[in-house]
Amino acid sequence: MRATAPLDVDLEDKLLYGLTPMRLAYLVIGLVAGFGLWSSQWAPSPVRVVACSAVVAIGAIAAWGRWRGRAVDGWAADLFLFVISTHRVVLDRAWLGRFRRRTTPAAPASRSTGPVTIVVTGRSPKAGATTVAVELAASLAAKGYPRELWLVRDAFMGHLGKPSSSEPLLSVMSVDAGRVCYLDRGAGPSVAGVIPEDDLVRRAALLHQATVDAFPEAPASKAFADLVDVIAAAS
């Protein structure tokens, strides 16, 4: 007994308007997406009409579109496979390094977070280092420098500590014109200022006040203020 095998057993079933289940899903998704674009008030009506029509048209083309006897989704799948098989994505590490350098902010200059302690000492007996230390502390307070970050310490003559940026050494030497102050931050001493001889300094001491507080316009007060600026700029 002869039998003939059907030739169309591998064809997809047609559900509606000649569409297979997959292509019917394309149409339904396009219609639902178009309806969503039209019903939501995200743009003026003319813009929504264009967007809705474009989405519905794409869904219809995906459902019924054919070219050279093949469905559109088949061509899209072949194009995707061709692209991934003939092209390779390679990370350009040099470009990535340049991008990181461009986007990474420059690190701020490191600076000591602890207080700066100004050590005041005399280069000779009766050089007036104690007076300079008191006046310097008063000048720092008058200029608004916080005590948590700026300290003044009176040291004995011939202080052997090692100067640094966080502990500069201010040595005082008495001369006929007043007092010469040398600042050393570790690279060697240099003249930071000259405090002129002023009788108002003695009068302020009798009043148990700093000269910068009792007589702010005195030449010595202005010299101490300038000395504070030099030390702060160096630190």
Side-chain angles (χ1 to χ4, degrees):
M1 179 178 180
R2 294 183 177 182
T4 304
L7 301 178
D8 57 349
V9 294
D10 59 339
L11 298 178
E12 295 183 90
D13 296 331
K14 306 293 180 61
L15 298 181
L16 185 65
Y17 298 112
L19 297 177
T20 63
M22 180 63 71
R23 288 170 179 77
L24 181 60
Y26 296 156
L27 180 62
V28 171
I29 292 174
L31 292 174
V32 172
F35 177 76
L37 290 174
W38 170 253
S39 59
S40 59
Q41 303 297 323
W42 59 276
S45 297
V47 177
R48 286 185 287 135
V49 168
V50 173
C52 174
S53 301
V55 171
V56 172
I58 292 174
I61 292 173
W64 281 296
R66 302 181 71 84
W67 187 55
R68 292 189 177 182
R70 295 191 61 197
V72 173
D73 58 348
W75 285 106
D78 290 346
L79 178 62
F80 175 75
L81 293 176
F82 172 78
V83 170
I84 64 173
S85 61
T86 56
H87 294 76
R88 182 176 60 180
V89 178
V90 179
L91 179 62
D92 188 352
R93 298 184 181 274
W95 176 87
L96 184 60
R98 292 193 300 269
F99 178 77
R100 287 179 177 176
R101 288 193 297 270
R102 189 182 302 115
T103 56
T104 302
S110 59
R111 188 180 185 273
S112 175
T113 57
V116 177
T117 303
I118 305 172
V119 180
V120 183
T121 184
R123 289 195 164 196
S124 60
K126 298 182 180 181
T130 301
T131 301
V132 172
V134 172
E135 297 287 350
L136 199 61
S139 297
L140 287 169
K143 283 182 168 289
Y145 288 91
R147 294 184 177 181
E148 297 81 8
L149 299 179
W150 293 88
L151 303 175
V152 180
R153 179 164 61 89
D154 185 15
F156 58 88
M157 186 181 67
H159 176 69
L160 300 178
K162 185 177 180 180
S164 62
S165 58
S166 61
E167 192 170 306
L169 176 65
L170 187 71
S171 55
V172 183
M173 184 176 66
S174 179
V175 295
D176 294 338
R179 297 179 179 88
V180 181
C181 300
Y182 297 86
L183 180 64
D184 187 358
R185 298 177 62 248
S190 60
V191 177
V194 178
I195 311 300
E197 192 69 30
D198 195 343
D199 290 338
L200 294 179
V201 177
R202 301 185 184 88
R203 290 178 57 184
L206 294 176
L207 297 174
H208 301 287
Q209 292 183 352
T211 309
V212 295
D213 295 331
F215 307 102
E217 297 301 325
S221 299
K222 295 180 180 180
F224 281 118
D226 294 340
L227 180 61
V228 167
D229 292 337
V230 171
I231 296 174
S235 299

